[in-house]
Amino acid sequence: MNTILLITIIGYILLMIVAGTMIGKNKINNTEDYMLAGRSLPNIVLVGTLLATFVGSGTVIGGASFIYQQGPLAGIIYFAGVPIGIVILYFIAGKTWLISKYTIPQILEIKYGKLTRTISSIFIILAYIGIASYQFTGGGYILNLTTGISVQAGTIITAFIVIFLATIGGMFSVAYTDFISSLLILAGFLLGFFYLVTNVVSFDTIIASLPESHFTWTGNLTVPQIIGYFLPLFLLVLADQNMYQRLASAKDANTARRSTIGFFFSSIAVFGLVILLTIGSFALFSDIKPDTAILQLAYNGGLPVIVGALILTASVSFLITTGNSFLLSAAGNITYDIVQRVKPDISDKSLLKINRYSVFALGGIAYILGAFFPDVLSIQMYSYTMYGAALTPAILASFLWKRANGPGALASIVIGGLATLVWELVLQKPYGWNSVLIALPLSIIALIVVSLLTPKYTAQIEEDQYGKDKEEKENVEFKSEYASGVYEGK
């Protein structure tokens, strides 16, 4: 056990708890504050929370595991879906703000109807529980490495911290602690790599240590297999409810759109540093467990203690910010897409309580789920595909294809989700292919065929629920266009 490492990590965790508690105590007055930070986030905070939310255990542990085994070029393919997806997200970010809903299913209801909202919320909850689960496991790895406690005990501690922060402060707490974490992430990883190549092992030596397979774009994988790793991240960033909630939390539509530019460049920087740190770890440790590559580098890689502490603390920040974001988001699905649908007259105060109780319950389920998957990378691919294949086609079609309708979206969501479950859990991934290679085509085909064979759905927008404010009128006008299929990404 290294005392400095331990103190640094504990200090960071305490800072997050104090900051999250203070922000939550002073800012949360209603459900809009809890879910969308009162629609007040400035650009720099928005960029930070987008980055910190999307980059978590799946990057530091799952991504490092993939790069360690397949090489840096394959790692570029693995991560490339994120910046490509962000470019597409830029063109719909402003309209996402105008829709101003708490959840993706609420958005889908405008275009596709109530049943689609209910079914989509179930699949989002299933996927997000999985994503939260491997944040807990990642935290267990780090605490095991730095304190010597068991991975299981570390996982429980991480779960408690994540659940507490998500419960106490909602989006205000999550967004501003995300911003702090994003600065720590960039500083820790950049400083760590700079010291590594200038004082521990030269970059030439790192390159020379890599096996021949690591200099190909597919590593040890076939072309279908590498595509199966590219698609889940690409699909997730395009339709991740967390992204849409954060864009809706911006102070205006232009801020929402501009934030995707910062997200684009900061994500490339972080992914690039993860690749470089992982191959540096490979040069020093050729026989470690792949998903501990960055963690071992920070702990045993010859870096100064303070630099190692920064990397490990940055890794912890990844896990905490991503975990509480996904729990908060999934709790919103329970509160607004299930409970409020059953009891439409429920008070705002009651919704706020249910939101917090749901975070706690989902956190417990996420911890239990972690026992069913052998490593972070496997649960990561399941969770991303469950979301991406089941929901992304319907979400994008709602913005970009006016003929898409409720029956088509419903068929797409159900078939994509069930195909993921069957391929992953029943068939156990035949040919070593990730389920996205099967689930995504089936989901798209179902959406197109069923939409063309059934009547077009047109929602009715109730204007009297909005005030006379100019901005609210623009929201109503856009919702009407969106529901009727007039809006095609303009």
Side-chain angles (χ1 to χ4, degrees):
M1 181 190 305
N2 187 298
T3 304
I4 295 178
L5 287 177
L6 186 59
I7 290 174
T8 303
I9 292 173
I10 291 176
Y12 166 77
I13 291 173
L14 291 176
L15 173 64
M16 292 299 98
I17 291 174
V18 171
T21 302
M22 294 304 296
I23 293 170
K25 180 180 179 181
N26 297 324
K27 295 284 189 178
I28 305 300
N29 298 309
N30 53 48
T31 53
E32 183 166 280
D33 290 340
Y34 190 77
M35 291 300 299
L36 299 181
R39 291 168 62 80
S40 65
L41 297 183
N43 185 61
I44 190 169
V45 174
L46 204 54
V47 172
T49 190
L50 286 168
L51 176 66
T53 296
F54 202 81
V55 180
S57 180
T59 300
V60 178
I61 296 176
S65 176
F66 181 87
I67 296 159
Y68 189 93
Q69 296 175 79
Q70 309 301 337
L73 297 182
I76 292 173
I77 299 295
Y78 175 85
F79 285 128
V82 177
I84 294 172
I86 294 171
V87 171
I88 299 172
L89 198 61
Y90 169 84
F91 292 100
I92 59 177
K95 299 303 181 181
T96 298
W97 188 89
L98 283 174
I99 292 176
S100 65
K101 294 293 186 181
Y102 296 148
T103 68
I104 284 289
Q106 285 180 319
I107 295 175
L108 293 179
E109 182 184 17
I110 299 173
K111 174 80 172 180
Y112 298 130
K114 295 179 179 179
L115 183 58
T116 302
R117 174 181 176 180
T118 302
I119 298 300
S120 63
S121 66
I122 294 171
F123 282 101
I124 291 175
I125 292 167
L126 288 173
Y128 280 12
I129 288 173
I131 295 174
S133 177
Y134 65 76
Q135 310 310 317
F136 299 167
T137 303
Y141 282 172
I142 295 175
L143 293 178
N144 168 258
L145 188 67
T146 54
T147 69
I149 64 175
S150 68
V151 172
Q152 183 179 12
T155 301
I156 293 173
I157 292 171
T158 304
F160 171 80
I161 295 167
V162 169
I163 293 168
F164 174 81
L165 285 174
T167 303
I168 194 68
M171 184 63 76
F172 267 117
S173 173
V174 169
Y176 281 90
T177 55
D178 278 358
F179 172 65
I180 296 171
S181 297
S182 67
L183 297 179
L184 185 64
I185 288 163
L186 288 169
F189 280 28
L190 185 61
L191 184 59
F193 179 72
F194 177 78
Y195 190 93
L196 177 70
V197 296
T198 56
N199 293 276
V200 179
V201 57
S202 70
F203 192 70
D204 289 341
T205 302
I206 292 174
I207 297 300
S209 72
L210 300 176
E212 186 176 345
S213 63
H214 280 37
F215 291 98
T216 68
W217 289 100
T218 58
N220 296 302
L221 304 173
T222 64
V223 172
Q225 286 174 327
I226 193 68
I227 294 173
Y229 281 101
F230 164 82
L231 284 174
L233 279 169
F234 172 68
L235 295 173
L236 182 65
V237 76
L238 279 175
D240 182 4
Q241 183 169 264
N242 279 293
M243 301 294 102
Y244 287 75
Q245 285 174 331
R246 277 151 180 75
L247 295 173
S249 300
K251 63 181 181 180
D252 54 50
N254 286 332
T255 299
R257 189 178 300 108
R258 288 196 306 270
S259 69
T260 62
I261 300 174
F263 182 29
F264 175 85
F265 288 107
S266 60
S267 68
I268 291 175
V270 170
F271 294 146
L273 287 168
V274 167
I275 291 172
L276 294 172
L277 286 169
T278 302
I279 62 173
S281 180
F282 188 94
L284 297 176
F285 313 105
S286 60
D287 59 352
I288 59 173
K289 191 176 180 181
D291 55 8
T292 64
I294 289 180
L295 308 184
Q296 288 289 351
L297 178 66
Y299 192 69
N300 295 314
L303 303 178
V305 173
I306 189 61
V307 176
L310 273 176
I311 293 176
L312 287 174
T313 306
S315 299
V316 170
S317 71
F318 275 147
L319 313 182
I320 291 176
T321 56
T322 301
N324 58 33
S325 294
F326 279 91
L327 284 183
L328 176 65
S329 191
N333 293 119
I334 292 177
T335 303
Y336 303 105
D337 299 319
I338 297 177
V339 174
Q340 194 176 43
R341 289 274 290 107
V342 175
K343 297 183 64 177
D345 58 343
I346 189 171
S347 69
D348 190 77
K349 184 177 180 180
S350 296
L351 287 174
L352 187 57
K353 287 182 179 180
I354 292 169
N355 234 322
R356 286 177 160 145
Y357 294 152
S358 298
V359 168
F360 185 82
L362 290 171
I365 296 171
Y367 170 76
I368 295 171
L369 181 66
F372 290 92
F373 288 84
D375 56 54
V376 169
L377 188 58
S378 65
I379 194 172
Q380 177 187 5
M381 289 299 104
Y382 150 76
S383 301
Y384 288 0
T385 300
M386 172 59 73
Y387 193 98
L391 293 163
T392 300
I395 293 170
L396 291 183
S398 73
F399 284 96
L400 304 174
W401 187 35
K402 64 182 179 181
R403 187 60 182 82
N405 65 9
L410 190 61
S412 176
I413 292 168
V414 172
I415 289 174
L418 290 179
T420 301
L421 290 172
V422 170
W423 192 264
E424 293 278 347
L425 303 180
V426 178
L427 301 179
Q428 298 293 309
K429 296 173 65 171
Y431 313 112
W433 290 7
N434 284 324
S435 52
V436 68
L437 294 172
I438 306 301
L440 179 62
L442 290 177
S443 179
I444 293 173
I445 291 169
L447 174 67
I448 295 172
V449 171
V450 176
S451 290
L452 292 177
L453 292 178
T454 53
K456 180 180 176 183
Y457 171 81
T458 301
Q460 298 297 317
I461 305 301
E462 299 291 339
E463 294 196 29
D464 60 359
Q465 65 181 299
Y466 302 97
K468 301 301 182 180
D469 181 83
K470 179 177 182 293
E471 187 176 89
E472 291 177 337
K473 288 182 178 180
E474 290 176 355
N475 290 0
V476 172
E477 290 170 2
F478 171 68
K479 290 186 182 76
S480 298
E481 291 182 352
Y482 173 82
S484 62
V486 174
Y487 175 68
E488 297 184 80
K490 62 189 178 184

